[in-house]
Amino acid sequence: MSKKIASARISEKSSQLLQDLNNSLPFDKVLYGEDIQGSRAHAYMLYEQSIISKEDFEKIEFGLIEILEEVESGVFVLDGDDEDIHMAIEGRLTQKVGDAGKRLHTARSRNDQVALDFRLYVQKNTKVIANLLLENITTFVSVAETHANTMLPGMTHLQHAQPINFGYHLLAYASMFKRDYERFMSSYARNNYSPIGCAALAGTPHPISRQITSDKLGFTAPTLNCLDTVSDRDFALEILFNISTMMMHISRLSEELILWSASEFKWVTLSDRHATGSSIMPQKKNPDIPELLRGKTGRVNGNLVGLLTVMKGLPLAYNKDMQEDKEGVFDSVRTAILSLQVLNEMIAEMTVNADKMELACMIGHLSATDLADYLVKEAGLPFRDAYHITGNVVNLAEEKGLDISELSLTDLQSIDERIGEGVVALLDNRASMNARLSEGGTATVRTLEQVESLKGWLSSQKG
Ligand code: ARG
């Protein structure tokens, strides 16, 4: 057996069980691009600092470029018994370029190498997710603009409360996604510091320049403290938390879409491209997509709690427990990307059944608060008295089998004479919605203002 490249003191071949437990190559192979990118920057710095010769640098550089092509074309398959992606690529490089390959690991440890590769992966995918959020916000804003006058019952406790418009409802989600976007971008800025050059935990006696590698890799600057840097997985926890919060928003929307697609509501119809059938009931169209989005929120939360738990008891610096950091992040990132892509398509293609939404506004006396507000403003009543009078009006409407907006002036005045003529028009649901003109309110003009504000924000982000 050939000697393992990173095992100077271990003479026996590892037990198969140790390899099964220990090897991360089966999952960390997705980091091949980041590993090669990091090694190229490191080799360049070693050469710039005269730690390796120009000749060795060029061999390493061309060797690594070839390995990248080999992996991408399937010539070099990452399924050997190397411990991890770092050893697999270093081993391949040494096979190709000999001693120069063995010089690459000068002034570097796998501890700063993995911290770098994983951070590059997280930073790259943070941008991918953030851009998908922008695409979703764009879609939500456009559907919202179309439906800024489409009324539906706004709810609290899942009970009809006050009339709002569907655009306004969608903009609530667009606002959540805007916060999500800002959260991803602030994590990006906070974590954009280069770990490479920290070596095992304490730095290195070689005359390296961490500034050179940091610049070459697009980081803001090198990290401050090497002991922290090789022990830190906050950047991974941040993307997990950011994904969990975003998926919680997607899950709440999914729950609403599932309800709205039910026969009892029929407020929206998901496109046939996003509905599935039943294997036994030929008539069925099921909202599997929002159900899966809601369900996948569970697994991303699991990944967050999983890594928090791995990290909580670890002494500084690197411990092998930390190899458990990756699979959950890869899974959450994959889930987030797919979920955002599907969500965008589903919202763009769903049919909004405006007639059903508006009909639903006739259930539940949605404009009752307007009567109470009228009695306060016009008759000078204390709000609590106005509230009780309105309650009696609602009771009357119930007795008559009508909605409060359908009562005549005579009906209204039979409860309280102070109710004047203008009230009938006020109790109309659309009038009620458009009366909510306060900042951030649901009135159509206010909704359209919110549309404009988000459009302005979107163009400032994309520009
Ligand atoms: N495969 C390891 C990981 O993912 C790389 C770092 C190994 N470092 C070490 N000192 N054993 O964490």
Side-chain angles (χ1 to χ4, degrees):
M1 142 217 171
S2 64
K3 199 157 183 65
K4 292 188 264 183
I5 56 177
S7 311
R9 296 196 61 241
I10 299 169
S11 49
E12 264 188 86
K13 183 170 168 41
S14 304
S15 127
Q16 184 57 48
L17 289 174
L18 173 127
Q19 292 184 40
D20 291 348
L21 182 68
N22 191 44
N23 291 9
S24 53
L25 184 62
F27 53 86
D28 68 14
K29 62 184 174 190
V30 306
L31 295 175
Y32 72 88
E34 285 79 10
D35 196 71
I36 290 172
Q37 186 191 359
S39 288
R40 287 177 62 189
H42 181 68
Y44 172 77
M45 181 279 293
L46 292 176
Y47 157 62
E48 281 284 308
Q49 296 297 102
S50 306
I51 301 169
I52 61 171
S53 68
K54 183 162 197 241
E55 203 193 344
D56 281 343
F57 163 60
E58 282 170 354
K59 283 188 182 161
I60 293 171
E61 171 75 356
F62 294 127
L64 287 171
I65 292 172
E66 266 177 37
I67 293 173
L68 184 64
E69 284 163 9
E70 286 176 2
V71 175
E72 280 172 353
S73 64
V75 171
F76 177 35
V77 183
L78 292 164
D79 63 357
D81 55 9
D82 294 290
E83 190 181 323
D84 55 30
I85 185 64
H86 324 295
M87 305 318 300
I89 289 176
E90 190 187 321
R92 180 75 178 154
L93 182 68
T94 304
Q95 262 175 17
K96 290 171 86 75
V97 305
D99 277 358
K102 296 191 202 160
R103 296 214 159 85
L104 170 62
H105 211 54
T106 313
R108 183 175 79 169
S109 153
R110 270 187 300 163
N111 299 347
D112 58 339
Q113 189 178 359
V114 72
L116 171 65
D117 293 4
F118 197 27
R119 197 180 289 231
L120 286 171
Y121 170 91
V122 165
Q123 293 295 83
K124 176 179 82 185
N125 284 291
T126 295
K127 283 276 174 77
V128 171
I129 294 170
N131 284 328
L132 284 167
L133 277 164
L134 290 183
E135 279 178 31
N136 270 276
I137 297 169
T138 307
T139 302
F140 276 66
V141 167
S142 133
V143 180
E145 189 168 20
T146 313
H147 289 287
N149 198 24
T150 303
M151 272 198 313
L152 80 166
M155 308 212 194
T156 62
H157 311 270
L158 206 57
Q159 304 286 322
H160 290 197
Q162 290 178 344
I164 60 173
N165 68 74
F166 190 58
Y168 181 69
H169 200 117
L170 288 178
L171 292 184
Y173 285 103
S175 307
M176 296 175 218
F177 295 143
K178 174 173 178 280
R179 282 199 300 280
D180 290 332
Y181 173 86
E182 287 162 349
R183 208 173 283 116
F184 279 104
M185 294 310 281
S186 78
S187 291
Y188 186 94
R190 184 167 33 262
N191 294 313
N192 202 35
Y193 291 86
S194 174
I196 194 72
C198 280
L201 73 164
T204 170
H206 293 286
I208 60 167
S209 162
R210 293 187 60 207
Q211 190 63 50
I212 292 180
T213 36
S214 172
D215 289 345
K216 197 132 187 90
L217 293 164
F219 287 112
T220 309
T223 56
L224 180 71
N225 174 289
C226 290
L227 183 60
D228 169 47
T229 303
V230 291
S231 314
D232 170 31
R233 291 296 181 270
D234 292 1
F235 60 95
L237 287 164
E238 282 192 36
I239 198 171
L240 289 173
F241 174 78
N242 294 343
I243 290 173
S244 280
T245 306
M246 177 190 90
M247 288 300 294
M248 175 270 288
H249 295 148
I250 295 179
S251 183
R252 293 181 75 174
L253 171 61
S254 297
E255 169 70 15
E256 299 205 300
L257 288 169
I258 293 161
L259 279 173
W260 297 342
S261 319
S263 313
E264 286 73 11
F265 286 78
K266 281 277 172 267
W267 291 358
V268 299
T269 310
L270 299 180
S271 115
D272 274 3
R273 293 192 339 120
H274 301 124
T276 51
S278 152
S279 60
I280 180 171
M281 296 167 281
Q283 83 283 13
K284 290 214 53 180
K285 272 196 203 174
N286 293 327
D288 289 27
I289 288 197
E291 288 170 357
L292 281 165
L293 296 179
R294 188 177 58 182
K296 285 187 184 296
T297 307
R299 71 194 278 160
V300 301
N301 288 351
N303 292 334
L304 170 62
V305 175
L307 185 55
L308 281 169
T309 311
V310 166
M311 297 306 293
K312 72 176 270 294
L314 297 186
L316 306 186
Y318 179 84
N319 302 267
K320 197 60 176 259
D321 316 44
M322 288 161 73
Q323 183 167 281
E324 290 295 312
D325 58 0
K326 288 174 207 61
E327 285 165 289
V329 170
F330 296 160
D331 181 66
S332 284
V333 164
R334 246 193 329 268
T335 303
I337 291 173
L338 184 58
S339 300
L340 285 168
Q341 289 168 331
V342 166
L343 179 65
N344 194 33
E345 209 178 80
M346 183 171 63
I347 296 299
E349 293 183 26
M350 75 184 175
T351 306
V352 178
N353 301 322
D355 52 335
K356 296 271 184 351
M357 288 185 180
E358 304 219 345
L359 209 60
C361 292
M362 294 309 285
I363 306 165
H365 315 288
L366 300 185
S367 54
T369 319
D370 295 78
L371 176 57
D373 287 338
Y374 165 88
L375 290 168
V376 169
K377 277 204 268 180
E378 302 299 322
L381 267 73
F383 179 77
R384 201 45 75 202
D385 293 344
Y387 171 94
H388 285 297
I389 293 169
T390 306
N392 293 334
V393 172
V394 169
N395 288 337
L396 175 69
E398 287 282 304
E399 274 165 33
K400 296 191 132 204
L402 295 173
D403 184 70
I404 193 173
S405 62
E406 295 169 308
L407 290 176
S408 66
L409 185 61
T410 326
D411 290 334
L412 294 165
Q413 287 179 336
S414 73
I415 301 292
D416 197 294
E417 284 164 358
R418 285 166 292 188
I419 300 178
E421 221 176 307
V423 171
V424 176
L426 274 184
L427 294 186
D428 171 69
N429 280 321
R430 196 170 303 278
S432 162
M433 174 181 83
N434 283 321
R436 280 166 178 71
L437 266 170
S438 56
E439 234 174 288
T442 192
T444 296
V445 284
R446 284 299 196 183
T447 302
L448 291 173
E449 238 174 59
Q450 294 161 38
V451 163
E452 286 317 309
S453 156
L454 282 167
K455 279 186 182 173
W457 176 80
L458 279 167
S459 57
S460 75
Q461 297 308 309
K462 286 173 186 163

